[in-house]
Structures are given as structure tokens and as C-alpha cells.
Amino acid sequence: VGLNTLLLIAAYLFGSIPTGYWVTYHLKNIDIRHYGSGSTGATNVLRVVGKGAGLFVLCADVCKAIAAISLVRGVYYLGDLYHLFPPGIDLDIWKPWIMTLAGLAALFGHSNSLWLILGPGRDPNLANGGKAVASSLGVLLALSWQVGLATLGIFITIIALSRIVSLSSMLSAIAISVLMIGTHQPLPFCLFAIAATAYVLIRHRANIDRLLDGTEPRLGQQVQASD
Ligand code: G3P
């Protein structure tokens, strides 16, 4: 198994860390997937447990995605320093592509957590993770902190105006592609942005239905039954 394959597996495993599930389980002794939207993401933890837990899960999910990309950066840095790569390989070309693939692996892991799929809490009828919003932000911050911070600013502004997290998430997800392409970031990062935009929107299908029905909860509204 090549080094790049190991890095992508590691990125998937980082993304797989089911922070929201673990935090809720340890704090409340409940399976978050039976409550609210059924997602293990920070929004649902905020809704079901409270602000502190929600903020913690948000930060942890951002950090695990940053860790996945930082690992690639670190290994490539050391590999270059100690000449661990075969001669003739252009690391400047390889690194952004592997960082991009690692970002996608982390997003996929967040929504399809190995621990939730195989662990003691496995249940094919429940979600296997979250909607890849916090993890997308983490990857973005690691790929281009300027685009990451701009996206975070857009996210916070839309939340302040609408108080609907899913709406903010989806509009921010669209902004990722616009900002990456608009600021002429490297091709692999732009492709990551397009894939992340599409992935986040697809993961919000149920939210889109609720938004169209006018039943999507706003911040502060308590929802107990899983849908
Ligand atoms: O970050 C996820 C958010 O956009 C929606 O979460 O739990 O309201 O479906 P939720």
C-alpha cells in the first residue's frame, strides 16, 4: 500500500471520528441519531444538548478535518526534507492533489463514520454521521485559510439574519465554489470546492424539503423527535 493511500485512509479515519455521537452519549446517555434531525453534527447537538456541547462538537469537527489535511502537509514536508519520495516525483504537483483527496475522504468519513457503521451503536436505519458542514470548513481552512474565513463570515452573517442553520450551510457551501474559483485557487482546490458544494447540498435533501414546507426549525427551537 502506497504512502498516499495510507494518507487517504488516515483522512477518512479522522473524518470518521463521531464527535457528536460520543459527546451526546457521554453527556446525556442518549443516541443523538434518535433526536432532532437525526444528524450527529454540531447543529443537532446544539439543538438536543445545548450551546456548550454544540460549540465543542463544531470545533472538534473543524479540527479533525484540519488534522487530516495537516497530516498530508506534514508527511510531504518531511518526505521532501529527508528525500523519502522516489526521485523525479514533483511534490508541488502531487501535494495539492493528495490534500484535496484527503479533504474529500475526511468529508466522506464524517458522513459515513466507520465507528458508527461498524461500532456497537451500528444501526442501518440511522444516520452514520453528519452533513459535512463543519468538516468542509476545516478542510477549507487548511487548504486556503482566506477562503475558509470568508466562508465562515458568510455562514455567520446568514445565520444572524435567518436563524436557520441549514440555509446558512447550503448558501455557504455554494459560496465555497464561488470563492475558490473567483480567487483563482489551484485547480485541485477548486475541484474540492465544487465537490464539497455538491456533497453538502445532497446531504441537506431533508432540510430542503422542510425549508420548502416551512417546517425547518430555527435556532433555539427545540425538536425532540427524530425525523
Ligand atoms: O450543519 C448541519 C446543518 O446545516 C443542518 O443540521 O441538524 O439542522 O439537519 P440539521
Side-chain angles (χ1 to χ4, degrees):
V1 184
L3 178 65
N4 288 327
T5 310
L6 285 177
L7 287 172
L8 298 187
I9 292 172
Y12 169 73
L13 292 177
F14 268 118
S16 272
I17 299 170
T19 331
Y21 174 84
W22 280 343
V23 164
T24 326
Y25 190 81
H26 288 293
L27 286 179
K28 293 269 179 186
N29 204 20
I30 58 169
D31 183 339
I32 179 87
R33 299 171 301 167
H34 287 290
Y35 294 83
S37 67
S39 165
T40 63
T43 309
N44 207 31
V45 175
L46 165 75
R47 184 181 289 130
V48 174
V49 183
K51 281 186 193 148
L55 195 62
F56 177 82
V57 170
L58 174 67
C59 293
D61 285 348
V62 168
C63 287
K64 73 186 186 187
I66 292 178
I69 307 298
S70 302
L71 182 68
V72 177
R73 265 192 212 282
V75 166
Y76 266 75
Y77 174 77
L78 291 176
D80 192 19
L81 197 64
Y82 294 106
H83 307 292
L84 301 178
F85 292 101
I89 288 199
D90 189 338
L91 298 185
D92 289 337
I93 292 180
W94 273 85
K95 190 168 75 172
W97 283 104
I98 300 303
M99 284 165 62
T100 295
L101 291 175
L104 293 175
L107 297 199
F108 185 75
H110 178 77
S111 303
N112 300 276
S113 163
L114 191 69
W115 278 272
L116 294 178
I117 293 170
L118 297 181
R122 66 184 170 274
D123 185 333
N125 298 313
L126 297 177
N128 286 320
K131 298 182 178 173
V133 174
S135 39
S136 291
L137 176 63
V139 173
L140 266 189
L141 286 167
L143 294 183
S144 161
W145 61 266
Q146 296 93 333
V147 172
L149 285 185
T151 307
L152 181 61
I154 290 169
F155 180 75
I156 291 171
T157 306
I158 301 173
I159 285 208
L161 294 174
S162 70
R163 302 193 62 78
I164 303 177
V165 182
S166 60
L167 183 68
S168 318
S169 300
M170 288 188 281
L171 294 177
S172 307
I174 294 168
I176 296 173
S177 288
V178 175
L179 289 170
M180 276 286 194
I181 297 168
T183 57
H184 307 290
Q185 299 292 326
L187 175 65
F189 294 1
C190 291
L191 293 179
F192 168 82
I194 293 169
T197 300
Y199 193 61
V200 169
L201 292 179
I202 289 168
R203 301 288 311 175
H204 279 78
R205 282 182 309 247
N207 303 80
I208 293 171
D209 287 345
R210 285 194 294 268
L211 282 166
L212 294 174
D213 287 350
T215 54
E216 181 72 335
R218 289 175 191 264
L219 269 184
Q221 265 176 267
Q222 290 298 315
V223 179
Q224 290 302 323
S226 174
D227 46 4

XYZ file of all heavy atoms in Angstrom, residues 122-195:
533
model
N -24.069 0.547 15.835
C -24.462 0.483 14.423
C -25.957 0.185 14.284
O -26.522 -0.626 15.031
C -23.629 -0.564 13.680
C -23.858 -1.981 14.115
C -22.915 -2.923 13.390
N -22.976 -4.258 13.985
C -22.242 -4.631 15.043
N -21.401 -3.777 15.595
N -22.354 -5.850 15.540
N -26.562 0.915 13.353
C -27.983 0.723 13.090
C -28.245 1.204 11.659
O -28.136 2.397 11.378
C -28.816 1.540 14.097
C -30.298 1.266 13.937
O -30.732 0.896 12.829
O -31.031 1.426 14.940
N -28.562 0.294 10.758
C -28.720 0.680 9.351
C -29.846 1.676 9.127
O -29.918 2.314 8.075
C -29.015 -0.654 8.640
C -29.380 -1.620 9.719
C -28.763 -1.145 10.988
N -30.734 1.834 10.113
C -31.848 2.764 9.929
C -31.509 4.183 10.371
O -32.324 5.092 10.222
C -33.079 2.282 10.719
C -33.536 0.935 10.214
O -33.652 0.744 9.004
N -33.745 -0.003 11.127
N -30.325 4.351 10.965
C -29.961 5.681 11.475
C -28.830 6.271 10.636
O -28.127 5.558 9.924
C -29.515 5.572 12.939
C -30.568 5.076 13.924
C -29.976 4.941 15.314
C -31.769 6.017 13.950
N -28.666 7.601 10.765
C -27.594 8.287 10.031
C -26.243 7.785 10.521
O -26.090 7.440 11.699
C -27.699 9.787 10.263
N -25.291 7.757 9.628
C -23.934 7.331 10.016
C -22.999 8.519 10.205
O -21.783 8.380 10.114
C -23.355 6.382 8.963
C -23.995 5.011 9.057
O -24.241 4.518 10.156
N -24.289 4.418 7.925
N -23.568 9.683 10.455
C -22.717 10.854 10.659
C -23.481 12.137 10.468
O -24.701 12.176 10.646
N -22.752 13.183 10.097
C -23.363 14.497 9.952
C -23.434 14.918 8.491
O -23.315 14.086 7.587
N -23.600 16.226 8.277
C -23.864 16.726 6.927
C -22.663 17.424 6.304
O -22.786 18.139 5.319
C -25.097 17.617 6.969
C -26.302 16.792 7.410
C -27.607 17.509 7.450
C -28.701 16.512 7.864
N -29.997 17.132 8.101
N -21.504 17.217 6.921
C -20.206 17.616 6.334
C -19.999 19.126 6.242
O -19.220 19.586 5.414
C -20.021 16.958 4.956
N -20.696 19.890 7.100
C -20.528 21.344 7.040
C -19.280 21.771 7.831
O -18.381 22.423 7.294
C -21.788 22.062 7.568
C -21.558 23.566 7.632
C -22.967 21.738 6.660
N -19.209 21.365 9.112
C -18.044 21.744 9.923
C -16.770 21.139 9.336
O -15.713 21.789 9.294
C -18.239 21.278 11.368
N -16.879 19.888 8.852
C -15.674 19.265 8.297
C -15.253 19.955 6.993
O -14.053 20.099 6.726
C -15.854 17.754 8.103
O -17.128 17.450 7.638
N -16.219 20.433 6.206
C -15.853 21.195 4.998
C -15.125 22.476 5.389
O -14.138 22.863 4.748
C -17.102 21.595 4.199
O -17.703 20.486 3.634
N -15.611 23.122 6.448
C -14.950 24.357 6.892
C -13.511 24.068 7.315
O -12.594 24.821 6.976
C -15.739 24.988 8.054
C -15.102 26.227 8.672
C -15.005 27.365 7.653
C -15.886 26.695 9.901
N -13.315 22.951 8.022
C -11.969 22.587 8.453
C -11.039 22.360 7.273
O -9.919 22.863 7.237
N -11.533 21.614 6.275
C -10.701 21.350 5.092
C -10.381 22.670 4.385
O -9.237 22.937 4.002
C -11.416 20.372 4.114
C -10.619 20.238 2.826
C -11.617 19.017 4.759
N -11.414 23.503 4.253
C -11.209 24.798 3.583
C -10.151 25.632 4.291
O -9.277 26.213 3.653
C -12.504 25.611 3.642
C -13.475 25.548 2.497
C -14.537 26.610 2.702
C -12.762 25.769 1.181
N -10.260 25.693 5.625
C -9.286 26.491 6.390
C -7.872 25.963 6.157
O -6.915 26.725 6.109
C -9.627 26.469 7.884
C -10.835 27.325 8.295
C -11.271 26.989 9.716
C -10.524 28.812 8.180
N -7.766 24.623 6.014
C -6.444 24.022 5.820
C -5.939 24.203 4.386
O -4.737 24.289 4.154
C -6.490 22.535 6.177
N -6.856 24.267 3.420
C -6.425 24.444 2.029
C -6.129 25.909 1.741
O -5.115 26.253 1.144
C -7.506 23.948 1.057
C -7.834 22.453 1.039
C -8.877 22.158 -0.026
C -6.595 21.594 0.815
N -7.056 26.769 2.152
C -6.882 28.213 1.930
C -7.589 28.933 3.075
O -8.821 29.041 3.066
C -7.497 28.613 0.586
O -7.714 30.016 0.564
N -6.821 29.397 4.060
C -7.471 29.977 5.244
C -8.264 31.231 4.884
O -9.274 31.545 5.516
C -6.473 30.256 6.366
C -5.381 31.234 6.026
C -4.139 30.950 5.554
C -5.446 32.668 6.120
N -3.427 32.103 5.351
C -4.201 33.171 5.686
C -6.427 33.573 6.532
C -3.914 34.539 5.653
C -6.140 34.935 6.498
C -4.892 35.401 6.068
N -7.834 31.924 3.798
C -8.572 33.130 3.410
C -9.988 32.753 2.949
O -10.975 33.376 3.375
C -7.855 33.864 2.269
C -6.487 34.393 2.645
C -5.376 33.409 2.303
O -5.584 32.201 2.258
N -4.188 33.935 2.055
N -10.063 31.740 2.090
C -11.379 31.301 1.614
C -12.179 30.722 2.793
O -13.386 30.958 2.921
C -11.232 30.253 0.481
C -12.580 29.646 0.122
C -10.608 30.898 -0.746
N -11.501 29.998 3.688
C -12.169 29.429 4.857
C -12.781 30.511 5.731
O -13.950 30.429 6.125
N -12.011 31.560 6.015
C -12.518 32.627 6.888
C -13.649 33.403 6.207
O -14.639 33.764 6.854
C -11.387 33.587 7.277
C -10.394 33.071 8.317
C -9.405 34.171 8.695
C -11.109 32.549 9.562
N -13.507 33.630 4.890
C -14.568 34.341 4.171
C -15.860 33.526 4.211
O -16.954 34.069 4.436
C -14.137 34.603 2.723
N -15.735 32.211 4.035
C -16.919 31.344 4.074
C -17.540 31.367 5.469
O -18.771 31.438 5.610
C -16.538 29.894 3.689
O -15.845 29.916 2.450
C -17.759 29.011 3.574
N -16.690 31.328 6.488
C -17.201 31.382 7.868
C -17.963 32.693 8.091
O -19.034 32.700 8.709
C -16.026 31.260 8.851
C -16.382 31.271 10.335
C -17.299 30.096 10.688
C -15.105 31.207 11.190
N -17.425 33.785 7.551
C -18.093 35.085 7.691
C -19.466 35.055 7.028
O -20.455 35.555 7.601
N -19.546 34.451 5.851
C -20.835 34.360 5.141
C -21.813 33.513 5.955
O -22.978 33.869 6.147
C -20.618 33.750 3.733
C -19.860 34.765 2.866
C -21.924 33.335 3.087
C -19.352 34.204 1.550
N -21.292 32.397 6.483
C -22.126 31.483 7.290
C -22.716 32.219 8.511
O -23.927 32.174 8.760
C -21.238 30.314 7.736
C -21.932 29.282 8.566
C -22.805 28.376 7.988
C -21.696 29.186 9.923
C -23.441 27.411 8.739
C -22.322 28.217 10.698
C -23.198 27.326 10.102
N -21.858 32.938 9.223
C -22.312 33.637 10.437
C -23.322 34.737 10.074
O -24.346 34.908 10.749
C -21.101 34.222 11.199
C -20.270 33.082 11.787
C -21.557 35.171 12.309
C -18.932 33.509 12.377
N -23.059 35.447 8.979
C -23.978 36.528 8.576
C -25.361 35.964 8.251
O -26.385 36.508 8.695
C -23.423 37.255 7.315
O -22.100 37.680 7.600
C -24.283 38.441 6.942
N -25.393 34.857 7.495
C -26.708 34.311 7.101
C -27.432 33.747 8.321
O -28.654 33.882 8.446
C -26.561 33.253 5.981
C -25.878 33.883 4.765
C -27.926 32.717 5.575
C -25.521 32.916 3.671
N -26.666 33.146 9.251
C -27.325 32.645 10.473
C -27.921 33.815 11.253
O -29.049 33.743 11.739
C -26.315 31.915 11.379
C -25.993 30.563 10.789
C -26.889 31.739 12.786
C -25.598 29.530 11.773
N -27.157 34.905 11.369
C -27.646 36.051 12.136
C -28.937 36.586 11.510
O -29.853 37.002 12.219
C -26.575 37.142 12.184
N -29.013 36.555 10.184
C -30.192 37.099 9.505
C -31.373 36.130 9.529
O -32.512 36.532 9.725
C -29.847 37.430 8.040
C -28.840 38.570 7.844
C -28.466 38.696 6.366
C -29.412 39.892 8.363
N -31.084 34.833 9.313
C -32.193 33.874 9.126
C -32.476 33.013 10.352
O -33.579 32.526 10.524
C -31.874 32.939 7.956
O -30.807 32.057 8.311
N -31.480 32.795 11.170
C -31.528 31.862 12.301
C -31.876 30.431 11.854
O -32.404 29.634 12.622
C -32.504 32.356 13.384
C -32.146 33.738 13.898
C -32.877 34.127 15.143
N -32.579 33.255 16.280
C -31.476 33.303 17.017
N -30.526 34.162 16.713
N -31.316 32.496 18.044
N -31.563 30.127 10.583
C -31.765 28.751 10.091
C -30.399 28.214 9.672
O -29.814 28.666 8.678
C -32.743 28.705 8.896
C -34.085 29.324 9.279
C -32.938 27.265 8.424
C -35.090 29.377 8.138
N -29.887 27.234 10.421
C -28.517 26.771 10.174
C -28.398 26.095 8.813
O -27.430 26.328 8.072
C -28.043 25.810 11.290
C -26.601 25.393 11.029
C -28.164 26.459 12.642
N -29.380 25.273 8.456
C -29.258 24.527 7.195
C -29.198 25.480 6.003
O -28.428 25.259 5.061
C -30.423 23.551 7.033
O -31.643 24.258 7.030
N -29.991 26.547 6.042
C -29.981 27.527 4.959
C -28.597 28.176 4.874
O -28.023 28.310 3.782
C -31.056 28.591 5.213
C -31.224 29.643 4.122
C -31.789 29.009 2.851
C -32.141 30.778 4.594
N -28.064 28.537 6.026
C -26.726 29.144 6.072
C -25.682 28.166 5.545
O -24.767 28.554 4.814
C -26.369 29.537 7.505
O -27.465 30.111 8.139
N -25.817 26.902 5.934
C -24.854 25.885 5.494
C -24.869 25.758 3.984
O -23.817 25.709 3.333
C -25.198 24.521 6.090
O -25.164 24.565 7.479
N -26.067 25.696 3.416
C -26.152 25.467 1.965
C -25.672 26.686 1.182
O -24.946 26.540 0.192
C -27.589 25.089 1.583
C -27.938 23.683 2.043
S -29.517 23.140 1.398
C -30.633 23.970 2.511
N -26.036 27.885 1.633
C -25.583 29.083 0.913
C -24.063 29.231 1.055
O -23.372 29.615 0.110
C -26.323 30.326 1.419
C -27.833 30.336 1.108
C -28.505 31.575 1.699
C -28.086 30.285 -0.395
N -23.546 28.892 2.244
C -22.089 28.959 2.431
C -21.397 27.912 1.562
O -20.306 28.154 1.031
C -21.709 28.698 3.890
O -22.419 29.549 4.716
N -22.038 26.745 1.422
C -21.455 25.688 0.586
C -21.353 26.162 -0.862
O -20.356 25.888 -1.545
C -22.305 24.417 0.673
N -22.358 26.884 -1.320
C -22.307 27.425 -2.690
C -21.194 28.484 -2.768
O -20.433 28.552 -3.747
C -23.681 28.016 -3.082
C -24.708 26.879 -3.165
C -23.598 28.777 -4.408
C -26.152 27.324 -3.269
N -21.081 29.271 -1.692
C -20.050 30.330 -1.671
C -18.639 29.734 -1.766
O -17.733 30.369 -2.318
C -20.191 31.157 -0.399
N -18.454 28.515 -1.250
C -17.125 27.887 -1.297
C -16.633 27.821 -2.745
O -15.507 28.211 -3.063
C -17.157 26.444 -0.724
C -17.529 26.438 0.746
C -15.804 25.770 -0.915
C -17.728 25.031 1.306
N -17.493 27.329 -3.629
C -17.082 27.198 -5.037
C -16.842 28.567 -5.650
O -15.849 28.775 -6.356
C -18.166 26.466 -5.844
O -18.179 25.111 -5.497
N -17.763 29.495 -5.382
C -17.633 30.835 -5.962
C -16.312 31.471 -5.513
O -15.553 32.023 -6.326
C -18.833 31.714 -5.535
C -18.649 33.155 -6.021
C -20.132 31.125 -6.067
N -16.004 31.339 -4.213
C -14.792 31.982 -3.685
C -13.524 31.306 -4.190
O -12.557 31.965 -4.561
C -14.815 31.954 -2.146
C -15.837 32.878 -1.481
C -15.927 32.577 0.013
C -15.450 34.336 -1.699
N -13.520 29.972 -4.197
C -12.318 29.247 -4.637
C -12.002 29.565 -6.094
O -10.856 29.863 -6.441
C -12.519 27.736 -4.499
C -12.236 27.188 -3.132
S -10.453 27.135 -2.781
C -10.462 26.098 -1.339
N -13.049 29.473 -6.922
C -12.826 29.718 -8.357
C -12.571 31.209 -8.586
O -11.649 31.588 -9.322
C -14.035 29.209 -9.182
C -14.158 27.692 -9.014
C -13.886 29.578 -10.660
C -15.452 27.092 -9.523
N -13.353 32.058 -7.901
C -13.241 33.506 -8.092
C -11.894 34.065 -7.656
O -11.451 35.082 -8.190
N -11.244 33.398 -6.680
C -9.946 33.908 -6.230
C -8.781 33.127 -6.871
O -7.646 33.217 -6.408
C -9.828 33.851 -4.685
O -10.037 32.498 -4.257
C -10.846 34.749 -4.005
N -9.119 32.365 -7.905
C -8.097 31.668 -8.707
C -7.187 30.767 -7.875
O -5.965 30.821 -8.001
C -7.246 32.679 -9.496
C -8.080 33.620 -10.305
N -8.783 33.222 -11.412
C -8.365 34.944 -10.153
C -9.454 34.244 -11.918
N -9.221 35.304 -11.168
N -7.811 29.954 -7.043
C -7.036 28.989 -6.260
C -6.589 27.843 -7.192
O -7.122 27.704 -8.294
C -7.894 28.429 -5.116
C -8.380 29.489 -4.127
C -7.263 30.101 -3.315
O -6.293 29.433 -2.990
N -7.367 31.395 -3.021
N -5.612 27.026 -6.749
C -5.148 25.925 -7.616
C -6.296 25.006 -8.047
O -7.272 24.836 -7.312
C -4.154 25.169 -6.711
C -3.758 26.159 -5.661
C -4.909 27.088 -5.478
N -6.146 24.414 -9.242
C -7.207 23.572 -9.810
C -7.726 22.505 -8.833
O -8.946 22.366 -8.663
C -6.704 22.919 -11.103
C -7.676 21.926 -11.736
C -8.944 22.624 -12.220
C -7.012 21.170 -12.902
N -6.844 21.728 -8.151
C -7.392 20.707 -7.260
C -8.259 21.310 -6.149
O -9.288 20.718 -5.768
C -6.154 20.008 -6.673
C -4.973 20.785 -7.120
C -5.380 21.621 -8.272
N -7.900 22.492 -5.636
C -8.695 23.115 -4.575
C -10.061 23.552 -5.129
O -11.077 23.445 -4.434
C -7.971 24.323 -3.977
C -6.700 23.987 -3.235
C -6.236 22.683 -3.139
C -5.965 24.992 -2.608
C -5.070 22.371 -2.471
C -4.791 24.693 -1.926
C -4.337 23.387 -1.862
N -10.056 24.022 -6.386
C -11.338 24.407 -6.993
C -12.224 23.173 -7.175
O -13.436 23.220 -6.936
C -11.116 25.093 -8.345
S -10.343 26.707 -8.176
N -11.603 22.062 -7.566
C -12.394 20.833 -7.739
C -12.911 20.350 -6.389
O -14.047 19.875 -6.269
C -11.548 19.743 -8.419
C -11.175 20.058 -9.869
C -10.325 18.938 -10.464
C -12.424 20.274 -10.721
N -12.077 20.500 -5.333
C -12.573 20.163 -3.993
C -13.809 20.996 -3.685
O -14.819 20.491 -3.172
C -11.508 20.413 -2.903
C -12.104 20.350 -1.527
C -12.313 19.130 -0.911
C -12.531 21.508 -0.873
C -12.928 19.053 0.327
C -13.142 21.439 0.373
C -13.334 20.211 0.964
N -13.725 22.291 -3.983
C -14.828 23.203 -3.652
C -16.108 22.765 -4.353
O -17.180 22.704 -3.728
C -14.452 24.635 -4.057
N -15.994 22.438 -5.637
C -17.200 22.042 -6.388
C -17.777 20.753 -5.791
O -18.981 20.627 -5.579
C -16.861 21.850 -7.885
C -16.487 23.211 -8.488
C -18.024 21.228 -8.635
C -15.869 23.129 -9.875
N -16.882 19.797 -5.474
C -17.354 18.530 -4.899
C -17.980 18.774 -3.524
O -19.034 18.200 -3.202
C -16.189 17.545 -4.787
